[in-house]
Amino acid sequence: MNLGYRKYLKSIEWQRIRNRELLRANYRCERCGAAYPNATLHVHHLHYERVGAEDEGDLAVLCSFCHTNLHDGRRGDPANRPWAKENSWLSRLLRDVNREARFGKGKGKSDIPF
């Protein structure tokens, strides 16, 4: 995570966006339904193309458990390599290929109950 992104996550602007997303999700994890205050909630960027100018649908509210599982599942994903991140088209292509290799064609991690 670069320093500019870390600084942004501490900004008042991000706190407003984060609070908006938590309200939109009714303070519940959008993956498993865990609710605050029984779960620590994170607002996760689905991609990093519009950081600082997030559109509706760019973010997801996840509990810490689901957020960790999401990132652990992507740790070996070639789409997360620095050379792939420089090209969003290549990153999406590699992510789709990796997802199909792990879950089957047309399936994604959200299609598999855990």
Side-chain angles (χ1 to χ4, degrees), residues 3-20:
L3 293 176
Y5 182 69
R6 287 179 193 248
K7 186 176 179 180
Y8 172 63
L9 293 181
K10 292 180 181 180
S11 72
I12 292 171
E13 179 184 355
W14 170 249
Q15 293 307 312
R16 278 191 223 127
I17 292 168
R18 182 180 183 279
N19 288 334
R20 179 194 72 206

Side-chain angles (χ1 to χ4, degrees), residues 53-98:
E54 292 87 351
D55 284 339
E56 193 173 313
D58 287 348
L59 305 166
V61 175
L62 302 171
C63 67
S64 57
F65 178 79
C66 289
H67 197 203
T68 298
N69 284 338
L70 178 76
H71 282 287
D72 284 348
R74 279 206 242 151
R75 189 166 285 154
D77 190 339
N80 290 326
R81 301 293 187 258
W83 50 265
K85 286 184 176 182
E86 293 173 10
N87 182 327
S88 62
W89 171 85
L90 177 60
S91 182
R92 283 192 302 272
L93 175 67
L94 290 170
R95 184 165 289 121
D96 289 344
V97 167
N98 191 39

Side-chain angles (χ1 to χ4, degrees), residues 15-67:
Q15 293 307 312
R16 278 191 223 127
I17 292 168
R18 182 180 183 279
N19 288 334
R20 179 194 72 206
E21 290 299 309
L22 290 168
L23 282 168
R24 179 191 56 74
N26 201 25
Y27 289 88
R28 291 189 167 279
C29 175
E30 295 181 285
R31 193 159 195 194
C32 73
Y36 177 84
N38 298 326
T40 302
L41 298 175
H42 301 222
V43 177
H44 169 73
H45 281 88
L46 298 173
H47 58 79
Y48 298 94
E49 293 172 9
R50 290 186 287 267
V51 172
E54 292 87 351
D55 284 339
E56 193 173 313
D58 287 348
L59 305 166
V61 175
L62 302 171
C63 67
S64 57
F65 178 79
C66 289
H67 197 203

